[in-house]
Amino acid sequence: MKTGRKISSKYILVLIFTVVFFSVTFNSPANYLHFTHFDKTLTASTDTVPVPKVKDSAVKDSVLKDTTIKDSIIQKTDTFELKISKDSLEAPISYSASDSIVLDVPTNKGTLYSKAKVTQKDLNLEAYKIELDQDKQIVTATYDMDTSGKMNGRPIMTQGSDTKMESDSIIYNLKTQKGITRSSYTSSGEMYVYGEKMKKVAPEVYYGLRGRFTTCNLDTPHFAFRTNKLKLINKKFAITGPVHPEIEGVPLPIYIPFGFFPLVQGRHSGFLPPEFTASDQFGLGLTQMGWYQVLSDNFDVTTRADLYSYGGWALYLRPTYKVRYRYSGSMNFTLQNTRILSTTGKTEFDDTRTFNLSWSHTVDTKAKPGQSFSANVNVASTKFNQFVLNNPVANYNNNLSSSIAYSKNWSAGKYNLTVSGNHNQDNVTRVINVNLPSIGFNMATLFPFQNKEFIGTPKWYEKLGVGLTSSVVGLSSFYDSLFSFKSMIDTFQWSAHHSIPISLSLPAIGPLQVAPGISLQQNWYSKKRTQFWAGPLGKNKVDTITQKGFFTASDMSFSLSLSTAIFGTFNKFGKNSTIAGIHHVIRPTFAVSYNPGLSSKDYYNLQTDSLGHSRPVSYFDGIGSGPIGTQRFGGITFGLDNNIEMKVRSKKDTSDGGIKKVKLIDGIGFNGSYNYLADSFKLSPISIYLRSTIFGISITGGATLDPYVTDSLGNRKNIYAWANGKGFKLGRITGGNLAVSTSFKSKPKDQKLADEEKKEQENQSQIPMTLEEEQAQLNYVRTHPAEFADFNITWSLNISFSLSFQQILNADYTYKTLITSGLNWSGDFNLTDKWKLGMSSFYDVHLAKINALTTSISRDMHCWQMSINITPIGLYRSFSITLSPKAGILRDLRINRNRFFYTE
């Protein structure tokens, strides 16, 4: 009998351990390799050793007869010391691999192959091959090369929610959380960082050798900044030694001794580099140079300056503030010292100092329910907009306005108090009007006879309602050149208006809605003005005498209105027609009213010329809110409104039976009145209006039709236009307006990208801006369209046309017609996938003149963009070319050339 070789008990124990280990590991549903580590000896002082139950027979034992000894045995706790292995891991590790897992028990190492993944705490490591050395607590991750020479399973290490690094190889110590990587890529915000060799010394701190910084996301970037040594603190900043730029891998001979790259997201203080510009009128200049300072989480300040070689300059100060859920706002103060070449030839330069102050403030409605405060202030010198370079919107804007308002309501909105101040100025006439204070009090309609508890059908008198509206307005008017506190006091005037409407809602009579009402009004004035014809001694003009004091004017009116709605549908288009029907709604209104003419005593006839022509005027024309009411009225008011919509069958959308409503006319109608008690001009002018949005075209229009004829001077005659004996006419159009706008664009190339951009714009929180700031931003987009080119849209076209005309009364009581008409259009299209051409223009139709024209060419260069903007027509003609990175972090790293030319 052959004797076998004796097997050592040591190998038997290792074999048993290996079998049990693999059995537990690969049969576990979670597939976890779980290590537990204690870095010190633990004392389990609270552990107790269970004491077995004592048999009855043992009670007879003399040893247990001693109660004290018995208690001490039962209550005794056992303490022990357990030494934990030093090679144990600090936390559990979960792992997986798609190919195989190899465990080397003698060396205490484990290796994962193909799509290997290891996770411990917030550390996640993925690679083709991962090796874990438990004794040294070191993880090594590498990639593999396939038969085609392609890299497979490049190691990627992620720690936390943001820190991510991709490398050729990673060696990481699980205990010290330090490691070394080779050929590593990481990103922080818009910045991509590469290091030939990186050393991780802390969760967010790295040291690198032969590094590269760029905002281009390609493996071989179009541009980068190279350095031999760097220190990177993730999400904060990176500091380097000597650094130089390179383009397409070609280094440029431009070196700086060190580099500082901010990687922090959000706001941070810093220098705002200038732009170089040139203008025939202003000279060479550096513009928009300044500093941005973050003072706190809720407050920051931006300061900028423009400097020109002819001696002109401008300073800009813009503080902004925002407290979430409470209030937000911004302020802009600009001081211009303009020095330009003189156009008169009398002097070499023309010097002008102007200013502009704007302030915008809003309060969150949730901050103080029932209260609100808002401010929109825009005050400037009358010539300020004239000297703003390359901003045709500001150059031609001759009207400025401001408003500051506080309101409060209480008793569930029944009472409302508003205190406000307003300002407006005309830069052409140089007249400034200031309304301060402006106080208004409103009381919602109260029903004094209404029961507090609704029981049964309410009586008709319970629907009797009474309201109240009161306002007090102060007004000062003066020329900007004569501004002083004394002039404001001398020109100050105030007026008050009170109105008490009384209404009664009666039950409908069939299809008719009946509503009687009474209105009581009274005005208070601080001045009274009497105008008279001065005659030859007064140079044949109208003179004015103003009296100061306290004056009142009252008015009362009674009305009974009837309204209804008439519906009609035409649906006989046939089963195969795409039109299912046309729906028409007519809403006529009719009212009978009476006004006893309590305010007729405040009207008189004023002679306006040497021929004896006269017109009715009031003592309170131009005083406060103006005259109250009219002369005695007893007659009717009437109106008619129409709404037309079409129902079409949709083959694609089957919801609602496949029927879709298309509005053809939102509203078209007219209204007017007829006064039976008037001595002349019984029929009022007829107001006509139109609103429609059809096939993407928005149309809004209105006109005023005067049914009476006029003489050669424009004065009305009490003769109807159709009774003039010169043919049938409904009247003459004395004023009107028309606005037509539409836009067309192609479908996005990438709809998902378009949706993301739209969502980002909607979710973006913006600090409220003044009208001047909005116009400045829109103008920048208008004058630099190439910087905002959207290559995802192949082509786009926007067109808008506006027309307005009005017959106005001159100071000498003659009439003239003021006409304004303009055509705005803008559009762009892709010449290629990377080139876009755009144009925008404003054409004055009335003057047959192009006021502004801007063209742009844009080139998409992946991580860079080139824009060329030319304004050949405008108050300031300009040319600019800009080459800049797309990334916001390098927004000021641009190469630009600007030229401006003044157009006389």
Side-chain angles (χ1 to χ4, degrees):
M1 184 174 180
K2 189 175 181 180
T3 305
R5 189 175 182 181
K6 185 178 181 180
I7 301 177
S8 172
S9 60
K10 176 181 178 181
Y11 288 98
I12 296 177
L13 291 176
V14 171
L15 179 62
I16 295 174
F17 172 78
T18 304
V19 172
V20 172
F21 180 84
F22 276 85
S23 175
V24 172
T25 301
F26 290 98
N27 290 328
S28 173
N31 194 22
Y32 279 97
L33 176 60
H34 192 93
F35 298 90
T36 305
H37 168 66
F38 298 91
D39 56 0
K40 63 180 181 179
T41 303
L42 301 179
T43 303
S45 60
T46 58
D47 286 353
T48 60
V49 178
V51 179
K53 293 182 179 180
V54 182
K55 296 183 179 181
D56 295 338
S57 58
V59 179
K60 299 178 181 180
D61 196 299
S62 60
V63 178
L64 297 180
K65 288 181 180 180
D66 191 338
T67 307
T68 304
I69 298 176
K70 177 182 177 182
D71 292 340
S72 63
I73 295 175
I74 296 175
Q75 297 178 3
K76 182 180 179 181
T77 58
D78 186 20
T79 61
F80 63 94
E81 293 183 354
L82 178 63
K83 291 185 178 181
I84 306 301
S85 174
K86 294 182 180 181
D87 61 355
S88 300
L89 299 178
E90 184 177 315
I93 292 181
S94 62
Y95 67 95
S96 64
S98 63
D99 185 276
S100 59
I101 302 176
V102 178
L103 298 176
D104 190 348
V105 175
T107 59
N108 215 5
K109 293 181 180 180
T111 307
L112 313 177
Y113 292 94
S114 185
K115 297 182 180 179
K117 183 177 180 180
V118 172
T119 302
Q120 185 192 39
K121 291 185 177 180
D122 63 343
L123 176 68
N124 183 63
L125 181 61
E126 299 179 13
Y128 173 81
K129 176 184 176 182
I130 299 178
E131 180 181 280
L132 171 63
D133 189 333
Q134 185 178 354
D135 293 337
K136 298 180 180 180
Q137 297 192 16
I138 292 178
V139 175
T140 304
T142 57
Y143 63 89
D144 183 46
M145 302 291 290
D146 58 17
T147 56
S148 62
K150 183 179 179 181
M151 188 180 297
N152 180 27
R154 201 160 184 261
I156 299 176
M157 184 174 67
T158 305
Q159 188 165 17
S161 58
D162 300 323
T163 306
K164 183 177 180 180
M165 179 175 290
E166 183 175 351
S167 311
D168 285 354
S169 65
I170 296 177
I171 302 175
Y172 185 74
N173 191 303
L174 295 173
K175 185 174 183 179
T176 62
Q177 294 190 0
K178 298 180 180 180
I180 296 178
T181 64
R182 297 185 183 276
S183 297
S184 303
Y185 294 86
T186 186
S187 63
S188 182
E190 297 177 303
M191 185 69 73
Y192 297 91
V193 183
Y194 167 81
E196 185 175 317
K197 187 175 182 180
M198 301 284 289
K199 182 178 181 181
K200 187 174 188 291
V201 297
E204 301 291 342
V205 181
Y206 300 83
Y207 287 92
L209 180 66
R210 288 186 285 276
R212 180 182 69 199
F213 295 86
T214 182
T215 58
C216 183
N217 58 0
L218 299 180
D219 292 339
T220 304
H222 293 110
F223 79 102
F225 297 92
R226 288 281 188 176
T227 183
N228 284 331
K229 297 180 180 180
L230 66 93
K231 178 182 179 181
L232 185 147
I233 301 178
N234 200 30
K235 304 301 179 183
K236 290 187 177 181
F237 57 84
I239 301 176
T240 72
V243 62
H244 69 275
E246 68 175 20
I247 298 178
E248 295 288 351
V250 179
L252 299 181
I254 302 174
Y255 284 83
I256 55 178
F258 66 92
F260 180 84
F261 298 86
L263 305 178
V264 63
Q265 300 297 304
R267 305 178 307 156
H268 54 278
S269 303
F271 175 71
L272 303 175
E275 293 184 8
F276 177 78
T277 185
S279 171
D280 290 347
Q281 296 294 314
F282 292 80
L284 302 178
L286 292 176
T287 62
Q288 298 301 300
M289 176 177 59
W291 181 269
Y292 174 74
Q293 181 66 43
V294 178
L295 300 178
S296 67
D297 293 338
N298 308 109
F299 190 70
D300 56 39
V301 177
T302 303
T303 57
R304 291 182 182 271
D306 299 341
L307 301 175
Y308 297 97
S309 59
Y310 290 166
W313 51 265
L315 296 177
Y316 307 88
L317 178 65
R318 186 175 188 267
T320 61
Y321 53 90
K322 183 175 182 179
V323 179
R324 184 173 295 182
Y325 308 124
R326 294 188 63 186
Y327 56 83
S328 61
S330 64
M331 180 178 290
N332 273 302
F333 178 74
T334 303
L335 182 62
Q336 288 181 340
N337 186 65
T338 306
R339 184 179 177 86
I340 61 175
L341 289 176
S342 176
T343 57
T344 62
K346 296 180 180 180
T347 58
E348 183 179 3
F349 296 101
D350 291 334
D351 295 327
T352 307
R353 179 165 292 187
T354 56
F355 77 94
N356 173 260
L357 175 64
S358 60
W359 175 42
S360 177
H361 179 89
T362 58
V363 176
D364 196 308
T365 56
K366 298 183 291 295
K368 292 184 178 181
Q371 299 184 44
S372 67
F373 176 80
S374 63
N376 197 336
V377 177
N378 187 17
V379 182
S381 304
T382 53
K383 291 186 177 182
F384 177 83
N385 288 340
Q386 180 180 346
F387 299 111
V388 178
L389 279 176
N390 200 27
N391 190 341
V393 176
N395 297 151
Y396 293 103
N397 182 21
N398 294 316
N399 293 282
L400 302 177
S401 61
S402 305
S403 175
I404 301 176
Y406 168 80
S407 66
K408 177 179 176 57
N409 63 76
W410 56 92
S411 296
K414 292 182 179 180
Y415 307 99
N416 177 265
L417 175 67
T418 302
V419 181
S420 63
N422 302 284
H423 141 271
N424 65 80
Q425 66 184 76
D426 190 321
N427 292 339
V428 177
T429 62
R430 307 183 72 172
V431 174
I432 299 177
N433 298 313
V434 179
N435 292 336
L436 186 70
S438 179
I439 305 173
F441 176 79
N442 296 320
M443 181 184 71
T445 303
L446 301 180
F447 300 92
F449 303 109
Q450 188 179 68
N451 291 327
K452 295 183 179 180
E453 297 181 0
F454 295 96
I455 301 176
T457 303
K459 305 296 183 180
W460 65 270
Y461 56 82
E462 293 184 15
K463 295 185 179 181
L464 180 67
V466 181
L468 172 65
T469 301
S470 296
S471 62
V472 180
V473 179
L475 172 64
S476 293
S477 182
F478 48 86
Y479 289 94
D480 64 339
S481 58
L482 302 176
F483 171 72
S484 66
F485 184 75
K486 184 177 182 302
S487 64
M488 289 186 62
I489 298 299
D490 291 341
T491 61
F492 180 78
Q493 58 183 357
W494 65 269
S495 65
H497 173 76
H498 310 283
S499 175
I500 301 177
I502 303 174
S503 61
L504 178 62
S505 300
L506 296 177
I509 304 175
L512 296 177
Q513 185 67 44
V514 183
I518 302 174
S519 178
L520 306 176
Q521 299 183 65
Q522 188 176 72
N523 276 13
W524 299 344
Y525 303 94
S526 63
K527 291 182 179 181
K528 181 179 180 180
R529 188 169 63 177
T530 303
Q531 303 177 78
F532 62 93
W533 179 254
L537 297 178
K539 299 182 180 180
N540 289 327
K541 66 176 183 178
V542 176
D543 280 347
T544 303
I545 298 177
T546 302
Q547 297 174 261
K548 293 185 178 181
F550 179 77
F551 308 94
T552 62
S554 302
D555 187 48
M556 176 185 293
S557 64
F558 305 87
S559 64
L560 178 66
S561 63
L562 303 174
S563 62
T564 187
I566 304 172
F567 303 88
T569 302
F570 181 80
N571 52 13
K572 297 182 180 180
F573 288 96
K575 296 182 179 180
N576 298 325
S577 176
T578 56
I579 302 176
I582 294 179
H583 187 63
H584 185 195
V585 181
I586 304 174
R587 294 182 175 87
T589 58
F590 179 83
V592 180
S593 60
Y594 172 71
N595 188 321
L598 300 179
S599 60
S600 59
K601 61 182 178 58
D602 300 324
Y603 286 84
Y604 62 96
N605 288 324
L606 170 66
Q607 182 181 342
T608 58
D609 55 32
S610 58
L611 299 178
H613 293 101
S614 62
R615 57 180 286 110
V617 296
S618 172
Y619 293 112
F620 305 112
D621 283 331
I623 305 296
S625 56
I628 188 173
T630 59
Q631 299 182 16
R632 194 170 61 137
F633 181 89
I636 61 172
T637 59
F638 52 87
L640 186 67
D641 182 70
N642 294 268
N643 177 275
I644 302 175
E645 63 181 20
M646 180 173 59
K647 295 182 178 180
V648 297
R649 296 185 177 92
S650 176
K651 296 181 180 180
K652 298 181 180 179
D653 192 350
T654 58
S655 60
D656 298 330
I659 302 297
K660 296 297 179 183
K661 294 181 180 180
V662 178
K663 289 186 176 182
L664 301 179
I665 298 178
D666 296 328
I668 181 173
F670 62 90
N671 55 71
S673 64
Y674 188 88
N675 185 6
Y676 288 98
L677 302 180
D679 297 332
S680 60
F681 305 109
K682 294 185 178 183
L683 182 61
S684 70
I686 307 300
S687 298
I688 306 170
Y689 60 88
L690 167 67
R691 302 185 309 274
S692 177
T693 302
I694 181 172
F695 304 120
I697 302 175
S698 176
I699 304 174
T700 303
T704 302
L705 178 68
D706 191 345
Y708 296 95
V709 298
T710 61
D711 58 17
S712 59
L713 297 178
N715 297 304
R716 300 174 77 195
K717 297 173 64 176
N718 191 29
I719 300 175
Y720 289 117
W722 54 84
N724 195 28
K726 297 182 180 180
F728 179 79
K729 293 182 179 180
L730 291 176
R732 56 190 180 87
I733 303 295
T734 59
N737 62 84
L738 177 65
V740 181
S741 62
T742 185
S743 62
F744 307 95
K745 65 179 180 180
S746 64
K747 293 183 178 180
K749 296 180 181 179
D750 188 343
Q751 185 62 47
K752 184 178 180 181
L753 177 61
D755 294 339
E756 291 177 354
E757 292 177 351
K758 182 179 179 180
K759 185 177 181 181
E760 182 179 355
Q761 293 176 358
E762 292 176 351
N763 295 336
Q764 185 177 8
S765 176
Q766 297 182 349
I767 293 178
M769 295 183 295
T770 63
L771 180 61
E772 186 73 13
E773 291 174 328
E774 293 179 358
Q775 289 179 346
Q777 286 195 2
L778 291 175
N779 177 73
Y780 186 85
V781 176
R782 188 183 297 108
T783 55
H784 300 79
E787 296 184 21
F788 302 89
D790 186 0
F791 287 89
N792 197 30
I793 304 296
T794 305
W795 61 270
S796 65
L797 178 63
N798 304 296
I799 303 175
S800 64
F801 171 78
S802 62
L803 169 67
S804 66
F805 58 96
Q806 185 179 9
Q807 193 176 62
I808 61 175
L809 183 65
N810 295 323
D812 58 356
Y813 288 94
T814 60
Y815 292 91
K816 72 174 182 179
T817 301
L818 181 64
I819 301 176
T820 58
S821 178
L823 175 66
N824 275 289
W825 68 273
S826 63
D828 56 52
F829 63 92
N830 292 353
L831 295 172
T832 66
D833 291 340
K834 302 296 183 181
W835 286 93
K836 182 181 282 289
L837 176 65
M839 295 184 68
S840 64
S841 175
F842 174 74
Y843 178 74
D844 192 320
V845 178
H846 179 61
L847 300 178
K849 178 184 177 181
I850 300 177
N851 286 341
L853 174 65
T854 300
T855 61
S856 65
I857 301 176
S858 183
R859 174 68 164 91
D860 184 3
M861 305 170 65
H862 186 257
C863 52
W864 282 64
Q865 61 184 4
M866 182 186 69
S867 60
I868 302 175
N869 300 280
I870 304 173
T871 303
I873 301 175
L875 182 61
Y876 290 98
R877 295 175 292 119
S878 63
F879 167 83
S880 67
I881 179 170
T882 303
L883 184 64
S884 62
K886 289 183 179 180
I889 193 173
L890 298 178
R891 184 179 183 85
D892 296 321
L893 181 65
R894 61 172 61 190
I895 303 172
N896 69 291
R897 171 66 169 165
N898 297 331
R899 292 278 293 177
F900 296 95
F901 310 91
Y902 181 71
T903 303
E904 298 183 11

